[in-house]
Amino acid sequence: MGRRLLGHIEARTTDLADAMFRNKVINYSCRERAALEREKLFRDQPILMGLSTRLPKPGDYLTEDVAGMPVLMTRTADGTVMAFANICRHRAAPVASGCGHARSFTCPYHGWTYDLTGKLLGTTDKVGFAGIDLAAHGLVRLPAAERHGMLFVRPKPAQPGESLTLDVDTGLGAFASDLAALKLETFPLFSVDRVAPRINWKFAIDTFLEGYHIAHLHRKTIAPYFVGNCGLFDGAGPHGRMCVPRTTIEQQRALAEGERSFLPHVITLYQLFPNSLLIWQVDHIEIWRAFPGRDDPAHSDIEMTIYRPAVTTRPDSYWEKNRQVAIRTVLEEDFPLGERMQIGFESGATQEVIYGRNEPSLVHFHSSIRNALGVPA
Ligand code: FES
Ligand SMILES: [Fe+2]
């Protein structure tokens, strides 16, 4: 990849898609389309929940509404990760909230208790629920997996006979070994930021999938650090990998093959289909996850997390500075422009947007969405 990048920089070229791709603007605002995406993308696919270090020890748990499915994830006594619908079997209250450490979960409504494996331990009124089969009223399991230091859940209960352990590797294909090599399990969580911009969730992903705009929109923030409109793209199934060179990569050109080291001079972005971006930021990991808003295709819920290395001599202020750069760039430059674009999409004045051949990650992302939805356009 390093050699490919140096070649592109010298020739002033970039990886290209086979052809330009036209997408209908209503795909960013149409309710029927949003309902289909919710079903086919956010219920049927494994969703990245973050790195393993979000649940470091047995007894740790996290909760999250994943595009309308209340999810509870736990690390059980034997260290395995399990996921459940965070819905009490009495009358559907969430049995856990936020994240933390617990031995069991007590429903806040009438006090039914569940253990870390979802088993119903007891009801609080023995007479009112006499004869109830506790074993048949555990929390509903959701298929989950912990692979290469990442947590995944599929926010739809398993069908009878279906495995409760998600097969993530088959889907990740060629990227599984890359992600394993990053040793993601050695990066503890540093920060979590959540925003709800008035943009369709796909735009939140789009804005990361090309380096073409860096020299323009991010002129005053990150542009000086990057070689403009230059990058690599590779796909693995619906997932994508984009690699953008930092200007410092030029130092490597003069070195002999065996002495070159490219990792410190690139940003590599794994687009984990459908809605997550895991970004290798040279010395830390940044993850963005985008979810459709509950009732409106023009709203999204976005989470940005930063994970720093477990062993580091850097003070927290250094990672905080990185967080501020991400906020300034994405939340103060990309998303505000995106909110204006969303208005443009909804205006009805134009029918299409175009992803250029120099934006291969975007072409792949939207082709993958079409495939997963089974729609022609
Ligand atoms: S809803 Fe949970 S105990 Fe009643
Ligand atoms: Fe941007």
Side-chain angles (χ1 to χ4, degrees):
M1 288 170 72
R3 277 197 297 274
R4 273 163 75 193
L5 282 172
L6 288 180
H8 275 316
I9 294 169
E10 197 168 30
R12 295 180 178 280
T13 51
T14 185
D15 273 4
L16 295 173
D18 292 340
M20 267 193 316
F21 186 104
R22 291 173 185 271
N23 198 8
K24 289 194 269 179
V25 294
I26 56 161
N27 291 339
Y28 288 87
S29 62
C30 159
R31 279 175 192 278
E32 290 74 49
R33 172 67 181 247
L36 189 63
E37 288 176 353
R38 188 177 284 270
E39 180 197 330
K40 300 276 189 205
L41 305 181
F42 290 92
R43 285 281 182 276
D44 288 354
Q45 311 277 340
I47 302 288
L48 177 69
M49 296 294 283
L51 299 189
S52 291
T53 51
R54 289 195 99 156
L55 299 176
K57 312 177 291 297
D60 289 346
Y61 72 92
L62 63 85
T63 63
E64 185 177 306
D65 281 3
V66 179
M69 174 63 75
V71 171
L72 165 64
M73 257 188 144
T74 64
R75 189 175 295 280
T76 61
D78 69 3
T80 56
V81 164
M82 286 182 146
F84 312 93
N86 184 17
I87 299 174
C88 181
R89 295 297 300 277
H90 177 219
R91 289 230 295 283
V95 301
S97 58
C99 58
H101 184 83
R103 283 224 185 100
S104 61
F105 302 102
T106 302
C107 180
Y109 203 178
H110 313 92
W112 287 24
T113 51
Y114 300 85
D115 74 7
L116 291 164
T117 67
K119 199 170 136 221
L120 177 59
L121 297 174
T123 63
T124 40
D125 185 314
K126 301 284 177 266
V127 177
F129 299 91
I132 192 169
D133 177 5
L134 296 183
H137 292 83
L139 297 174
V140 171
R141 287 279 298 271
L142 302 173
E146 179 174 36
R147 284 300 284 159
H148 313 303
M150 297 174 286
L151 303 172
F152 294 90
V153 70
R154 195 202 62 198
K156 184 165 90 177
Q159 305 302 307
E162 193 189 0
S163 169
L164 284 159
T165 305
L166 283 172
D167 171 15
V168 177
D169 275 354
T170 304
L172 289 176
F175 297 159
S177 56
D178 275 42
L179 292 162
L182 292 177
K183 301 208 180 320
L184 297 169
E185 64 284 351
T186 65
F187 288 82
L189 183 66
F190 175 71
S191 62
V192 181
D193 285 274
R194 293 198 174 92
V195 288
R198 194 185 175 284
I199 51 177
N200 181 269
W201 71 274
K202 295 189 292 299
F203 173 79
I205 301 294
D206 287 354
T207 193
F208 288 91
L209 295 188
E210 39 90 2
Y212 179 32
H213 75 285
I214 293 177
H216 305 276
L217 183 61
H218 304 310
R219 190 167 74 244
K220 296 200 181 116
T221 45
I222 55 169
Y225 304 105
F226 291 97
V227 179
N229 200 17
C230 176
L232 304 181
F233 171 74
D234 295 283
H239 311 294
R241 180 183 64 200
M242 189 173 121
C243 186
V244 182
R246 296 163 68 98
T247 50
T248 55
I249 199 170
E250 276 301 330
Q251 305 156 2
Q252 302 300 303
R253 199 184 290 278
L255 301 179
E257 271 289 325
E259 281 155 31
R260 287 172 166 177
S261 162
F262 289 105
L263 268 185
H265 307 289
V266 297
I267 299 293
T268 305
L269 185 151
Y270 293 88
Q271 191 253 319
L272 300 177
F273 192 76
N275 69 327
S276 299
L277 304 159
L278 187 150
I279 310 175
W280 161 260
Q281 287 277 20
V282 181
D283 55 7
H284 65 284
I285 306 286
E286 187 179 302
I287 295 181
W288 292 81
R289 301 159 68 224
F291 293 93
R294 199 164 168 72
D295 302 307
D296 180 358
H299 273 102
S300 55
D301 293 307
I302 314 293
E303 183 198 73
M304 176 193 60
T305 42
I306 288 181
Y307 296 81
R308 61 171 181 77
V311 181
T312 175
T313 53
R314 305 266 196 198
D316 277 1
S317 58
Y318 173 82
W319 310 109
E320 178 57 26
K321 221 174 84 198
N322 278 283
R323 173 174 165 259
Q324 291 301 332
V325 170
I327 288 177
R328 268 205 310 281
T329 313
V330 180
L331 304 190
E332 294 173 16
E333 293 180 339
D334 291 297
F335 288 0
L337 186 67
E339 293 192 336
R340 301 293 307 163
M341 290 159 62
Q342 184 71 33
I343 293 170
F345 296 155
E346 292 161 7
S347 71
T350 58
Q351 272 70 53
E352 290 176 335
V353 289
I354 311 170
Y355 314 126
R357 289 190 63 204
N358 61 331
E359 304 175 292
S361 299
L362 278 175
V363 172
H364 184 75
F365 176 48
H366 290 278
S367 312
S368 300
I369 291 177
R370 275 186 193 175
N371 289 340
L373 299 182
V375 295

